[in-house]
């Protein structure tokens, strides 16, 4: 008969003997030889040992598998938990990116609106066509590479949005490349065109452009400028930026005169001066002091004679006053023009 010795049956033995038997019995099995009343160790054959080891391994494997599946289903593996956290974090970061894209989008819309309604109309440029605005728009195979993931939808959507913003920004930069030189040219043009009154005196003015009886010569002929009644020594300013092409006494009526070539087809003449503050060949800016008014040349009294020429033709200077003019002065100018027209 084969039997196992239970540890509980040893409790009544002395402690030292009990420990020896425990050590012995826990590791080995014994048979009781009833005839000799001795325990004999049971030795397993090699085959039996292999079978036991095999079944032990199978049992361990089955238990481990069930344990693993159960734990995984209930709680997930640590790696899965970490990956899920990373996916959630990426999803959140994508949502933040899309919010930033929306801000950039609104800014771009504002820039396009300013360009269409302000920049191009002011610069006399045509508005960009819709087909130009859509330059580079279209699908891309790179979005296909983002398919098949858990978050494919948000990844493709955000990437497509970013690409669209980049495309629109590029188109806008190309548009600005076209606008900037035109704007710089306009800025230069505005600085050079005669724009202000040459002397700081108030209107009413002297004679304008008209066919008149000359006050000194006593003959009828055209008066091609605008006269400004001004005391001798009144400061005379350049009405636009340009190059001094003459600063000298000249015959034929104007006495001491200054001429400025403003470019863009414009030239101004300042006559009857008492003195000069510039020399021929000098560059001046609008508002620079160029001389003092007087009554040199053929003149009936102290005043400034001022002419504007555009592409060789005389212009009425009153059309080029756009500085701080008052309503009274404006009405006076209009009346003067009406009188000139009637004459
Ligand atoms: Zn005059």
């Amino acid at each position: 008969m084969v039997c196992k010795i239970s540890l509980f049956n040893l409790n009544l033995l002395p402690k030292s003997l009990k420990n020896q038997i425990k050590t012995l019995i826990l590791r080995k099995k014994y048979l009781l030889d009833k005839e000799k009343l001795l325990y004999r160790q049971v030795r397993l054959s090699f085959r039996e040992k292999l079978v036991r080891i095999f079944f032990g391994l199978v049992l361990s494997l089955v238990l481990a598998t069930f344990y693993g599946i159960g734990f995984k289903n209930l709680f997930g593996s640590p790696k899965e938990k970490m990956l899920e956290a990373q996916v959630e974090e990426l999803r959140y970061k994508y949502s933040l990116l899309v919010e930033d894209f929306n801000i950039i989008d609104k800014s771009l819309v504002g820039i396009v609106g300013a360009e269409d309604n302000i920049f191009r109309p002011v610069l006399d440029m045509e508005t960009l066509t819709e087909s130009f605005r859509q330059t580079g728009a279209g699908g891309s195979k790179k979005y296909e590479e983002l398919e098949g993931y858990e978050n494919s939808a948000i990844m493709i959507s955000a990437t497509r949005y970013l690409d669209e913003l980049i495309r629109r920004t590029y188109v806008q930069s190309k548009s600005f490349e076209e606008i900037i030189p035109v704007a710089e040219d306009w800025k230069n043009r505005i600085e050079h065109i005669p724009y202000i009154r040459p002397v700081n005196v108030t209107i009413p003015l002297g004679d304008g452009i008209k066919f008149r009886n000359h006050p000194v010569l006593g003959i009828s002929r055209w008066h091609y400028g605008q006269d400004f009644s001004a005391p001798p020594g009144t400061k005379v300013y350049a009405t636009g930026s340009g190059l001094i092409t003459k600063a000298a006494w000249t015959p034929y009526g104007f006495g001491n005169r200054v001429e400025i070539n403003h470019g863009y087809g414009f030239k101004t003449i300042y006559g009857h001066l008492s003195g000069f503050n510039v020399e021929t060949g000098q560059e001046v800016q609008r508002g620079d002091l160029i001389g003092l008014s007087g009554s040199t040349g053929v003149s009936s009294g102290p005043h400034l004679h001022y002419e504007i020429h555009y592409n060789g033709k005389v212009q009425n200077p009153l059309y080029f006053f756009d500085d701080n003019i008052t309503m009274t002065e404006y009405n006076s100018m209009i009346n003067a023009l009406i009188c000139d027209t009637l004459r």
Side-chain angles (χ1 to χ4, degrees):
M1 174 183 175
V2 178
C3 67
K4 293 181 182 178
I5 296 178
S6 168
L7 292 178
F8 299 106
N9 296 332
L10 302 175
N11 288 338
L12 299 175
L13 296 175
K15 189 174 182 181
S16 58
L17 181 59
K18 186 173 71 177
N19 288 338
Q20 288 180 18
I21 292 174
K22 279 169 66 178
T23 304
L24 190 65
I25 291 175
L26 281 173
R27 294 179 181 175
K28 299 174 182 176
K29 289 185 178 178
Y30 293 84
L31 285 175
L32 177 62
D33 188 340
K34 292 183 177 177
E35 294 178 357
K36 296 181 180 179
L37 296 177
L38 288 174
Y39 284 103
R40 295 185 186 280
Q41 185 177 356
V42 176
R43 296 185 183 278
L44 298 176
S45 67
F46 181 72
R47 180 188 177 90
E48 288 173 326
K49 286 181 179 176
L50 277 180
V51 170
R52 289 194 175 200
I53 290 170
F54 174 75
F55 280 109
L57 286 174
V58 169
L59 182 61
S60 300
L61 190 62
V62 169
L63 288 175
T65 302
F66 276 108
Y67 171 78
I69 292 172
F71 188 87
K72 190 176 172 182
N73 286 337
L74 285 175
F75 307 108
S77 69
K79 189 176 181 181
E80 283 177 336
K81 299 285 281 184
M82 183 186 70
L83 289 174
E84 282 179 6
Q86 287 180 350
V87 168
E88 192 59 35
E89 183 183 350
L90 285 173
R91 188 181 289 126
Y92 175 66
K93 286 182 176 177
Y94 264 101
S95 67
L96 292 180
L97 276 177
V98 170
E99 288 180 14
D100 289 341
F101 293 166
N102 285 330
I103 295 172
I104 297 170
D105 195 347
K106 287 181 181 175
S107 299
L108 267 176
V109 169
I111 291 170
V112 170
E115 181 188 311
D116 287 347
N117 299 307
I118 300 175
F119 303 155
R120 286 181 174 267
V122 166
L123 296 173
D124 200 22
M125 298 175 70
E126 290 190 0
T127 306
L128 282 187
T129 61
E130 189 56 31
S131 62
F132 185 88
R133 288 263 180 224
Q134 293 301 320
T135 302
S140 173
K141 286 189 176 179
K142 71 178 179 182
Y143 305 130
E144 297 174 5
E145 299 171 0
L146 297 173
E147 290 176 351
Y149 297 96
E150 185 177 345
N151 294 308
S152 288
I154 190 171
M155 285 195 295
I156 292 173
S157 170
T159 306
R160 196 186 295 276
Y161 197 176
L162 176 60
D163 289 344
E164 175 64 7
L165 290 175
I166 292 172
R167 187 194 66 74
R168 285 161 54 192
T169 304
Y170 177 76
V171 170
Q172 193 57 51
S173 70
K174 285 294 173 190
S175 176
F176 280 145
E177 284 180 12
E178 186 182 320
I179 289 175
I180 288 171
V182 177
E184 288 176 343
D185 183 63
W186 268 97
K187 179 175 179 288
N188 198 48
R189 179 191 296 261
I190 290 169
E191 288 172 354
H192 284 74
I193 291 175
Y195 180 76
I196 61 174
R197 66 187 81 185
V199 284
N200 190 19
V201 296
T202 55
I203 299 171
L205 308 166
D207 283 345
I209 293 179
K210 62 183 179 181
F211 192 75
R212 68 173 187 179
N213 189 34
H214 195 281
V216 176
L217 301 177
I219 56 174
S220 293
R221 67 177 190 176
W222 277 95
H223 179 243
Y224 290 116
Q226 177 65 54
D227 288 341
F228 291 82
S229 299
T234 300
K235 292 178 180 177
V236 179
Y237 303 99
T239 54
S241 301
L243 177 70
I244 304 293
T245 52
K246 189 182 294 288
W249 185 88
T250 55
Y252 316 117
F254 290 150
N256 292 327
R257 77 154 80 174
V258 168
E259 289 185 11
I260 302 177
N261 182 357
H262 300 278
Y264 303 99
F266 285 97
K267 181 179 83 170
T268 51
I269 298 173
Y270 312 76
H272 309 305
L273 301 178
S274 61
F276 302 104
N277 203 56
V278 290
E279 297 177 347
T280 301
Q282 183 179 336
E283 292 275 357
V284 291
Q285 305 295 316
R286 173 184 291 134
D288 283 354
L289 178 64
I290 57 174
L292 301 175
S293 71
S295 189
T296 57
V298 182
S299 171
S300 60
H303 74 286
L304 172 72
H305 175 87
Y306 177 56
E307 289 185 15
I308 295 180
H309 296 239
Y310 177 64
N311 288 338
K313 294 183 178 178
V314 173
Q315 307 293 310
N316 191 331
L318 291 182
Y319 291 133
F320 295 84
F321 287 179
D322 204 9
D323 51 348
N324 298 323
I325 199 164
T326 66
M327 184 59 74
T328 304
E329 290 174 324
Y330 177 78
N331 290 332
S332 176
M333 288 167 56
I334 296 302
N335 290 334
L337 285 175
I338 291 171
C339 290
D340 284 344
T341 305
L342 292 174
R343 286 174 186 143

